Amino acid sequence: MNREFGLQGWLVPENHIHISLVGLGDHEEYPQELAEAACHIGSMIVAKPFEVSFDRLSAFGGGALVLRGSDGNPSLQKFWRDLTAVISDSPLKPFLTKSIEPHVTLLRDEVGVPSIRERSIDPIGWTVRDFVLIHSLIGKGAYKQPGRWRLTGQDDALPAM
């Protein structure tokens, strides 16, 4: 598709592919206290693994080519809403900068991507078995994972308090 659309941007490295759910802001230095609070909240989430499927390719955020699901991925939507609700009722609320439609970024090209019209593709799906707190080192193309949690619990994503 990169060739088909004549895109000049960079592909997201395979080991950086993830479903984006929320953002906690951009920070000059590593936000240790913020990361610790986010890890605490992550450890409170209890949910069972669930299926996702993405069948649309579209422009997103000005320069990102992303995967989206036409059925909205109900289990993913519920997990996302519940996670956002827990964050919104925590000390992390002031840092919640993005609570965006769940999507998977494949490529970034600020010039070419905005002109791409959404299109259907063969579905790409998998079972979500964990979720991760990602610290993106902006401009360096590197990610760190301060926290990772397995989904092994009950049917809905609720805080285990």
Side-chain angles (χ1 to χ4, degrees), residues 8 17 37 64:
Q8 301 295 314
I17 298 286

Side-chain angles (χ1 to χ4, degrees), residues 60-81:
F60 190 80
L65 184 65
V66 302
L67 292 174
R68 293 180 172 174
S70 60
D71 74 349
N73 285 303
S75 296
L76 176 60
Q77 291 287 327
K78 176 149 182 40
F79 182 85
W80 170 54
R81 281 191 310 272

Side-chain angles (χ1 to χ4, degrees), residues 15-35:
N15 62 340
H16 288 189
I17 298 286
H18 62 276
I19 301 171
S20 297
L21 299 175
V22 297
L24 297 175
D26 295 338
H27 306 274
E28 289 288 322
E29 296 180 19
Y30 183 73
Q32 185 66 38
E33 290 180 19
L34 177 66

